[in-house]
Amino acid sequence: MTELVKDAALDAATAAKVAGWSFVLATDLDGTFLGGTPSDRAQLYHWIGKQRDRIGLVFVTGRDPGFIEGLCTDTPVPWPDFVVGDVGTTIARMEPPGPGGKVTPIAAMEAQIAALWGDAGAAVRKRLDGHPGLTLQPTDFRHRVSYDYDPETFDDSAKGIVEEMGHDWLISADRYFDVLPKGVSKGPSLRRLIDYLGVRPNRVLAAGDTMNDYSMLVEGFPSVAVGGSEPALLAALPDHAAIVRPPGVGAGGIMDAVAHFALHHPTPR
């Protein structure tokens, strides 16, 4: 387990870095930042890399810290500045920043999440053991329990079990069933991080493609459901000027949204 930092206050170096940002990209990974054509991904990553003093990067993902560290070490994907991981149950910084950094949870940001969850993991796993349509994921998550989900064999009673235990359930991409602390998801956790950083919400672009991104796309930031998004997400999202649905898939849709909202100049297209 990565050691928690003890103080939520921004250190001077981080505060100076954040003050220089004119734009923050808060993006899901699978299907979004990692989606689209190779040329669109390369263009977006290169554009971010050339302007890292002016662009903040937050990964808002269902993935765990180990996956994120491995992804950035082994691929051309840019290193994030901060991470909202584990479907919103992890709020962390990269420590040290940049290559070789570790996803280091910010204790004060996670205090409420930890209190809501307590030691619920074992009880959840016991209650849902062998439940039809659910296969436990092997990762030892800190504040969530996650399953691979089979819609054809799934027994809907799992939802009631989770609610009876005082937690939230979330089905996304027609593949995953997450059990989360009550009221915790990507949107509220991203909002908590942005408030902590002191970034103006209208300078943040939230980008996603599945139902586990819904809460951050309706949190009030300029938002994009990229091309190829889950139909259930597109159906659930309200018609609102702050939420765009461009045809560009993955990275291409992110670039379309940056240009649409005029969030940064020059834009990547």
Side-chain angles (χ1 to χ4, degrees):
M1 182 69 65
T2 306
E3 183 179 355
L4 297 177
V5 298
K6 297 179 180 180
D7 190 353
L10 287 177
D11 60 88
T14 303
K17 178 173 71 173
V18 171
W21 292 345
S22 62
F23 161 62
V24 174
L25 174 60
T27 178
D28 172 59
L29 290 176
D30 299 271
T32 308
F33 199 63
L34 303 181
T37 66
S39 62
D40 279 348
R41 293 197 304 272
Q43 183 178 355
L44 178 61
Y45 302 168
H46 179 71
W47 176 74
I48 291 171
K50 289 193 70 174
Q51 302 184 81
R52 282 316 299 269
D53 58 333
R54 299 183 61 207
I55 297 175
L57 183 60
V58 181
F59 288 168
V60 190
T61 177
R63 295 290 193 170
D64 63 280
F67 174 89
I68 295 166
E69 293 165 5
L71 174 72
C72 295
T73 298
D74 299 334
T75 75
V77 171
W79 286 79
D81 299 289
F82 292 89
V83 169
V84 176
D86 294 315
V87 200
T89 63
T90 289
I91 305 176
R93 69 179 78 204
M94 294 305 301
E95 188 64 39
K102 297 293 183 182
V103 178
T104 305
I106 305 169
M109 294 285 99
E110 292 190 347
Q112 183 182 17
I113 296 169
L116 286 167
W117 187 246
D119 296 321
V124 170
R125 288 189 291 271
K126 182 176 180 180
R127 287 291 301 275
L128 294 180
D129 183 39
H131 197 90
L134 296 181
T135 302
L136 182 67
Q137 293 181 6
T139 305
D140 187 20
F141 302 114
R142 297 179 303 132
H143 303 132
R144 69 187 256 218
V145 177
S146 295
Y147 297 85
D148 293 325
Y149 161 80
D150 180 1
E152 294 187 2
T153 60
F154 177 68
D155 185 327
D156 218 45
S157 64
K159 300 175 182 177
I161 292 172
V162 171
E163 292 168 0
E164 175 194 324
M165 297 182 75
H167 311 306
D168 286 341
W169 57 267
L170 176 63
I171 295 173
S172 61
D174 231 16
R175 294 176 55 195
Y176 305 114
F177 184 93
D178 293 301
V179 182
L180 306 169
K182 189 72 174 177
V184 176
S185 61
K186 288 184 175 183
S189 292
L190 176 59
R191 171 68 67 173
R192 183 174 294 155
L193 175 63
I194 293 302
D195 288 348
Y196 158 67
L197 295 175
V199 174
R200 287 180 295 156
N202 66 351
R203 304 309 302 171
V204 177
L205 175 66
D209 75 312
T210 72
M211 278 302 294
N212 75 17
D213 300 313
Y214 174 85
S215 66
M216 75 165 171
L217 299 185
V218 298
E219 184 62 32
F221 307 109
S223 298
V224 54
V226 298
S229 287
E230 180 183 2
L233 173 67
L234 296 174
L237 287 172
D239 290 327
H240 195 286
I243 304 172
V244 295
R245 302 165 174 83
V249 175
I254 292 174
M255 292 190 290
D256 290 340
V258 172
H260 173 85
F261 290 117
L263 285 166
H264 190 78
H265 300 285
T267 55
R269 286 207 211 260

